[in-house]
Structure formats: C-alpha cells, structure tokens
Amino acid sequence: MFSKVWTVALQGIEATLIEVETQIEGGLEQFTIVGLAGASVRESKDRVSASMKNAGLIFPRKRVTINLAPADLRKEGSAYDLALAVALLAASGQVPADVLDRYVFLGELSLDGRVRPVKGALPSSLAVRALGGKKLVVPVDNADEAAVAEGLPIYPMTTLRDVVDFLNGVDQVEPYTVDIQELFAEQRRYEFDFREVKGQQRAKRALEIAAAGNHNVLMIGPPGSGKTMLARRLPTILPDPTLDEALETTQIHSVAGTLPKGAALLATRPFRSPHHTISDAGLIGGGTVPVPGEVSLAHRGVLFLDELPEFKKNTLEVMRQPLEDGEVVIARVAATTRFPARFLLVAAMNPTPGRYRGSELVEGSVSGAQIRAYRSRISGPLLDRIDLHVPVPAVKPQELSLKEEGEPSADVRGRVIEARERQLVRFRDSEIYSNGEMSAKQLRTRGNITEAAETALRQAIDRLGLSARAHMRALKVARTIADLAGREEVGESDVLEAVSFRELDREEFA
C-alpha cells in the first residue's frame, strides 16, 4: 500500500515542505529511506518501531520504502519521526490515508511513544501558514511557539497514540491558539535598568547616542569600572522590537535551540556575550549542519565582546562581513545557508595589558611597546566599523555612595525612539533605517551638515591628530547627536562632541 504525508525541512531559518512517500510491499522485511536523508533520519526506524509497539500499534514487518521529496534537499534531525510513523500507519491501514493531505506533522518520538519537542517549530509553522490550506500537528511542548503563527490551526499532541486517536476521529481536538499581545506584555521585561548605574555620565551618554543611531561602541577602561554593567543595560534603552523583528529573532533562537524554557516569543532585544575563547564557527555560525552563531543570536539586539584584544584575530576578522552586510552566508557543497545578523556591536577592553590592583594599574607592570602591541590586535578594518570609542574610568567612591538613582531606562528610551523616528522619516525612500548605516554619499546628501560644523571638524582633526578614518564616523555620530536634540542641521557643538568619542583614532594609538 502507498501513503503520502507532509512534514517540514529546515535550511537555516528557511523551511521547505517535504513529502513523505511510503510504499509497503510483500517480501522479506526491509526498511529503506531515500531522498538524501542524514544519519539522524536513517536512525529514526528504531525510534519509530519502538514507539509504535509501545503505543499498541503494529509496525509493518514487510518491505518498506520511504522517499523524502524533494530528493535533492538534505534532511537532518529527528523532527521527521512523527511524519514517518504516521506514513507507516496510513500505508498499513491503521489510520485513514484520505485525511492526511490536510495535515503537516512535526515531532520526535521517544521509545515509549511520547512526542518530544523539536527545534525550529516557529519557522516551520510560518512556512506552513504561508502555503495555506494546511494544519500543523506538533509536540505539546512546541504548541505555544508554533501557535505564534496566527491563523494556522495547531494541534498539539502528547503521545503517538493521541495522534492516532485524533486521525481516526476517536478524540476531538480543538485548534490551539495564543494571544500574541498577551505574550508581548508578559515577556517584555528586562532584568536590568540604567538607573542602577552610578556615575559614568559620559559613558551613558555614549550608549544613548549608540542606541539612537545604531552606532557600534568600544568602551575602554580598567577592570571594575562598569563596562559590562553598562553593556548589559544597553538593550533596555533600544526601541521595543516590532512583531516582525520578534518573529525573526525567535526563529533564529528556535532553530538554534536556545529559546528560554516556556518562551514562545522573544519580546525583548537579545543580549549575547560570548567568551573570548570562542571559535570562528561559534561566533559566526557553521558546522556540518549549519547552525547560527553568536552574531545571529544577537540579531536585532546587542553583541557584547568583553576583553576585545583577547579574541583571536582571525575570529574577529570573520565578523567583518556580517557587520557590513547584516547577514551570515555559510556555503557548503550541498547548499548555501543564510542567517540574519543585524546587531549592535559593543566591545570592551582594558587601556593596557598590564597588571591591575583593583582599578589601579600596577606601576612598572607594562611597557609602551606592550601597550602598542596590545592595541594593534584590533585591526584597522574592524576599528573602521566602530563609531564610538568611550573612555570608562574607575568610578569614584563618593559616586558609589550616592543614594540617588540614575535616570531610568524608560526615559532614555523615549529620547532614543524620538531620534529614531526622525531617521525613519529621513530615510523613508531608501533601504536603510539609521544614521549608522549611511554611506558617504548619503551622508553628503542627507546629513544636512552646516559649513561651520565641517570647519570645526577639520580643525579638530588637525589639532588632535586624528586619523582620516575619524572624519566620516564623526559626522555620522554628529548627525545622531543632532537628532537626539531635535535639530535638523548638524552644528559645531554636535561635531565637537562626536570627535570627543574618537579615542583610538589619535596618533599615539593609531
């Protein structure tokens, strides 16, 4: 007998509908899966067989051939188990084959017949919804995530026996739904707030500018000065993600298996902070079956690289492409996988590689040559992509003892949103959304830089000995400073403040 069942294959965060064609014939017992199935898919025979037996079902002991079409697309993972089991049940007459064309099945089977959760439920459900006319059967633990695709009937199942009873009409199951707005309200909370940061007014000002114009930031300060504390609070002053941004971010974390337990939707900006020993593939993504790296997991949020000079130089260099293009492209012989990677880079480093006692450098623990070698670990091309260099000195004891709290994140975020809205109006007929993305041509035609500002910038570069790369970066930052102040034109004061955030462009550090 023949049956056809639908399931989903993932390539990055792109999902493709897969036909599971099953043919059962008489003859010696044989079980064959064709259609470019990976090892984990071929192993499914043992899981499916044990699961069916323990659910009180009959596993066909005949000649079984299963084709996964399209046959030229690589299939990996255990999410095909449920579809394979249903296809076998339909071909052997244990469930009606004529109702299966309306359903798509997704789930891993345990040996005792339970339907286990899988990665990628959200991108799979969005793909099924886009096709129209289908319903999705998923593990009960993936129900909330899959139901985020509003308008798609979702049927959560706990065991294989539940699936069989549902298809045979023994049990009536209502489609499962979630309230998207309620999910946003429940999960749109941050653990941290800018009001908790004592002192560091200049650093907080720099992060506000970074958030308003989407500018990458490098903080330079001794241990204990609060660099990590500041970075962790940067997502709290970014504009709240839109539903489309939340869906895009959640899909990446769903595929990677990093969604927090019980979370169906990431309603806040992600914050990722990988250790400096991370590999190239860990940062950018990769593997035999490509998975997203930290730059993609930070999509629409913040990627924080602490101790920047301690990262391997080649690891930092491969980050230049996603910084420029906003995506990661992983090329393999079988296919090319793309992951979004549009993030705000925040890096931190000590002023020197010397030994510190608290926040004080131990005298004589480092030479000038060692300092130059330490700073040279950050390449010029990478530094070119960082708009703001922020000194973060040690906080004075009297500032730590202040009882007054700082400005709350909500107030800062209000100013950031207003500045972003001005940029959206400015770039409404282009493909960019913030000042940090402007090209040199766009800066000339849309920056609205006054002659006085240009003159002040030239004088500052000559007087402070700044490198040539500082010129355009300073103008972009100045444009954002003017937006925060509600000014249409970029003036002299805006440029001078922007120049003050070019610490590493001075000649002694170039």
Side-chain angles (χ1 to χ4, degrees):
M1 292 184 66
F2 174 82
S3 71
K4 183 175 73 172
V5 170
W6 297 100
T7 187
V8 174
L10 288 173
Q11 188 174 0
I13 62 171
E14 299 297 323
T16 303
L17 211 59
I18 300 295
E19 287 184 72
V20 181
E21 299 175 319
T22 303
Q23 179 72 33
I24 299 179
E25 301 173 303
L28 294 175
E29 181 180 336
Q30 184 178 351
F31 191 95
T32 306
I33 299 179
V34 297
L36 212 58
S40 57
V41 180
R42 293 194 299 272
E43 290 171 353
S44 64
K45 179 208 171 182
D46 298 319
R47 291 191 299 272
V48 170
S49 173
S51 183
M52 289 175 65
K53 289 176 183 177
N54 288 318
L57 304 166
I58 301 171
F59 184 82
R61 295 297 180 183
K62 297 183 179 182
R63 183 183 178 90
V64 177
T65 304
I66 297 178
N67 178 45
L68 304 178
D72 61 346
L73 181 66
R74 187 79 177 173
K75 291 89 178 176
E76 296 284 354
S78 57
Y80 301 90
D81 288 2
L82 182 57
L84 292 174
V86 172
L88 287 170
L89 291 167
S92 59
Q94 298 177 71
V95 297
D98 57 345
V99 302
L100 297 183
D101 195 56
R102 303 198 298 267
Y103 296 96
V104 178
F105 298 89
L106 196 67
E108 176 186 331
L109 292 176
S110 65
L111 300 186
D112 62 359
R114 287 177 295 115
V115 184
R116 297 169 58 88
V118 295
K119 298 177 183 178
L122 178 57
S124 298
S125 63
L126 290 172
V128 173
R129 184 182 68 176
L131 291 169
K134 301 284 185 187
K135 304 173 183 180
L136 183 62
V137 177
V138 297
V140 68
D141 290 340
N142 288 128
D144 285 344
E145 182 186 339
V148 169
E150 289 184 302
L152 174 68
I154 300 294
Y155 296 91
M157 298 292 166
T158 304
T159 67
L160 179 58
R161 184 80 244 180
D162 293 338
V163 178
V164 172
D165 291 342
F166 169 66
L167 294 174
N168 285 328
V170 175
D171 290 339
Q172 298 296 319
V173 181
E174 293 298 321
Y176 183 80
T177 60
V178 295
D179 188 326
I180 301 294
Q181 297 306 319
E182 185 178 332
L183 281 178
F184 261 112
E186 287 178 357
Q187 299 180 28
R188 186 168 279 171
R189 296 190 185 93
Y190 292 97
E191 296 180 50
F192 309 106
D193 196 284
F194 249 77
R195 60 158 53 100
E196 299 154 359
V197 181
K198 303 287 187 179
Q200 301 296 10
Q201 297 305 317
R202 181 165 168 75
K204 286 192 282 189
R205 168 65 173 169
L207 292 184
E208 180 180 339
I209 295 169
N214 200 35
H215 302 288
N216 298 322
V217 185
L218 173 60
M219 295 186 286
I220 309 154
S225 59
K227 301 187 293 294
T228 301
M229 187 179 189
L230 286 160
R232 284 192 177 278
R233 283 152 182 79
L234 179 55
T236 69
I237 64 172
L238 290 170
D240 289 331
T242 63
L243 178 58
D244 287 343
E245 288 177 327
L247 287 172
E248 194 174 28
T249 303
T250 306
Q251 287 183 76
I252 298 169
H253 285 259
S254 175
V255 168
T258 56
L259 270 181
K261 190 173 181 179
L265 190 67
L266 292 181
T268 57
R269 302 280 179 183
F271 178 86
R272 305 294 298 185
S273 180
H275 192 262
H276 60 77
T277 57
I278 192 170
S279 66
D280 297 8
L283 186 64
I284 302 301
T288 306
V289 180
V291 295
E294 291 292 334
V295 297
S296 294
L297 295 174
H299 181 63
R300 302 296 183 187
V302 174
L303 177 67
F304 178 51
L305 302 184
D306 200 7
E307 305 292 349
L308 184 65
E310 301 300 331
F311 283 78
K312 289 180 290 186
K313 195 162 188 175
N314 62 298
T315 301
L316 292 177
E317 291 306 298
V318 296
M319 192 172 60
R320 284 161 49 187
Q321 182 229 342
L323 275 173
E324 195 72 29
D325 301 336
E327 69 173 0
V328 171
V329 180
I330 301 171
R332 294 289 182 267
V333 174
T336 298
T337 304
R338 298 176 184 273
F339 291 110
R342 198 167 294 282
F343 57 91
L344 184 58
L345 174 64
V346 180
M349 61 182 285
N350 295 333
T352 79
R355 189 159 48 89
Y356 286 83
R357 184 177 292 113
S359 297
E360 295 294 326
L361 180 66
V362 175
E363 189 174 352
S365 65
V366 66
S367 67
Q370 288 174 314
I371 294 174
R372 287 190 292 274
Y374 175 72
R375 293 181 181 241
S376 69
R377 295 179 194 174
I378 308 171
S379 70
L382 179 60
L383 203 59
D384 273 345
R385 290 163 174 80
I386 299 177
D387 292 344
L388 296 158
H389 309 156
V390 189
V392 185
V395 181
K396 298 175 182 178
Q398 56 267 34
E399 291 178 313
L400 288 173
S401 64
L402 290 175
K403 293 183 180 180
E404 294 83 2
E405 291 184 327
E407 187 177 21
S409 293
D411 292 353
V412 182
R413 185 168 60 246
R415 295 195 295 271
V416 167
I417 291 172
E418 288 179 5
R420 287 276 187 127
E421 287 173 350
R422 294 186 184 97
Q423 293 164 62
L424 289 174
V425 172
R426 181 178 302 123
F427 304 122
R428 60 183 175 272
D429 57 347
S430 67
E431 295 183 357
I432 68 171
Y433 304 97
S434 64
N435 294 330
E437 301 172 77
M438 278 193 292
S439 65
K441 180 181 179 181
Q442 289 167 327
L443 188 58
R444 288 194 303 271
T445 57
R446 305 186 185 214
N448 211 354
I449 316 294
T450 64
E451 183 61 36
E454 286 275 17
T455 302
L457 178 58
R458 286 193 294 271
Q459 291 174 346
I461 288 176
D462 291 340
R463 185 171 65 254
L464 298 176
L466 300 184
S467 66
R469 73 166 72 102
H471 185 270
M472 192 170 81
R473 298 285 165 185
L475 286 179
K476 287 184 180 181
V477 173
R479 177 64 269 172
T480 300
I481 292 170
D483 285 334
L484 280 168
R487 291 190 290 270
E488 192 56 40
E489 291 186 332
V490 175
E492 183 177 351
S493 62
D494 304 321
V495 164
L496 293 178
E497 184 178 3
V499 167
S500 71
F501 291 117
R502 299 301 304 179
E503 177 80 10
L504 293 186
D505 273 313
R506 301 186 184 186
E507 286 182 344
E508 62 265 30
F509 299 135

